[in-house]
């Protein structure tokens, strides 16, 4: 998704593709909900503390509008939540999907408001996991994906819509 290997010719960075982003988010909706709910049920006390610490650090990066730090810390938070879910298959799928989403988001981010809104929704998932509330974690994950689906739509010219 991020690079294309061309035998005997090299490696090419693939273009950012809004149609692919819709497919990624459709899949992420299901996988992320599973991970969030499972992590809320299965995370250990130490994992919950680690997720809470990452959430606090993310809040600080957003307060300083530090997009790169947000992306780095949010990737750590995602991995920690996925590990806590105790489902290595879902975690592996999520890692790939999140990389594609993160790249799209970073390329199209134009306003601090987008960073604030995205971070708030990611943190709502994290906080539900920390509290052990599987239902709230699943709902928060769905709300995050709904918001993220609106983001690529806003990048399209008014007449086009590659959404499935």
């Amino acid at each position: 998704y991020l690079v294309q290997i061309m035998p005997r010719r090299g490696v090419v960075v693939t273009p950012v593709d809004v149609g692919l982003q819709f497919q990624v988010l459709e899949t992420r909706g299901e996988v992320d909900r599973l991970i969030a709910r499972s992590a809320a049920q299965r995370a250990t006390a130490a994992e919950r503390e680690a997720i809470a610490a990452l959430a606090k650090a993310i809040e600080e990066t957003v307060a300083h509008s530090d997009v790169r730090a947000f992306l780095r810390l949010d990737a750590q938070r995602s991995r920690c939540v996925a590990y806590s879910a105790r489902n290595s298959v879902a975690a592996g799928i999520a890692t790939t999907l999140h990389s594609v989403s993160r790249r799209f988001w970073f390329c199209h981010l134009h306003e601090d408001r987008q960073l604030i809104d995205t971070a708030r929704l990611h943190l709502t998932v994290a906080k539900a996991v920390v509290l052990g509330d599987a239902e709230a974690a699943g709902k928060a994950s769905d709300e995050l994906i709904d918001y993220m689906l609106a983001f690529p739509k806003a990048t399209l010219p008014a007449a086009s819509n590659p959404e499935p």
Side-chain angles (χ1 to χ4, degrees):
Y1 294 117
L2 302 178
V3 296
Q4 179 181 7
I5 298 172
M6 302 175 70
R8 296 182 296 278
R9 292 175 58 199
V11 177
V12 176
V13 175
T14 59
V16 175
D17 181 349
V18 71
L20 175 62
Q21 181 67 357
F22 282 118
Q23 293 174 29
V24 165
L25 290 171
E26 180 179 44
T27 307
R28 267 190 69 179
E30 302 302 320
V31 174
D32 285 5
R33 182 184 320 103
L34 170 65
I35 288 172
R37 292 178 58 80
S38 297
Q41 294 169 334
R42 300 173 182 159
T44 66
E47 290 165 343
R48 291 177 201 284
E49 287 177 23
I51 294 166
L54 285 167
K56 184 170 177 48
I58 288 169
E59 287 173 340
E60 292 171 12
T61 66
V62 172
H64 294 98
S65 298
D66 189 341
V67 176
R68 290 183 192 275
F70 166 75
L71 289 170
R72 183 177 40 77
L73 289 168
D74 189 58
Q76 289 176 337
R77 181 208 53 83
S78 293
R79 285 190 301 272
C80 191
V81 169
Y83 178 81
S84 300
R86 306 288 186 276
N87 184 328
S88 61
V89 173
I93 292 167
T95 298
T96 301
L97 297 174
H98 287 211
S99 294
V100 175
S101 285
R102 211 171 277 117
R103 177 180 180 216
F104 183 90
W105 187 82
F106 182 75
C107 288
H108 292 342
L109 176 70
H110 300 298
E111 302 173 13
D112 282 348
R113 180 87 248 153
Q114 293 166 323
L115 173 61
I116 292 166
D117 290 345
T118 301
R120 177 183 50 79
L121 291 163
H122 279 88
L123 292 172
T124 302
V125 175
K127 290 173 182 175
V129 169
V130 168
L131 293 173
D133 188 337
E135 185 176 332
K139 183 177 183 238
S141 179
D142 289 345
E143 289 171 359
L144 171 62
I145 296 299
D146 288 346
Y147 173 81
M148 292 178 74
L149 280 166
F151 187 77
K153 286 180 186 176
T155 69
L156 294 173
S160 57
N161 186 1
E163 184 177 4

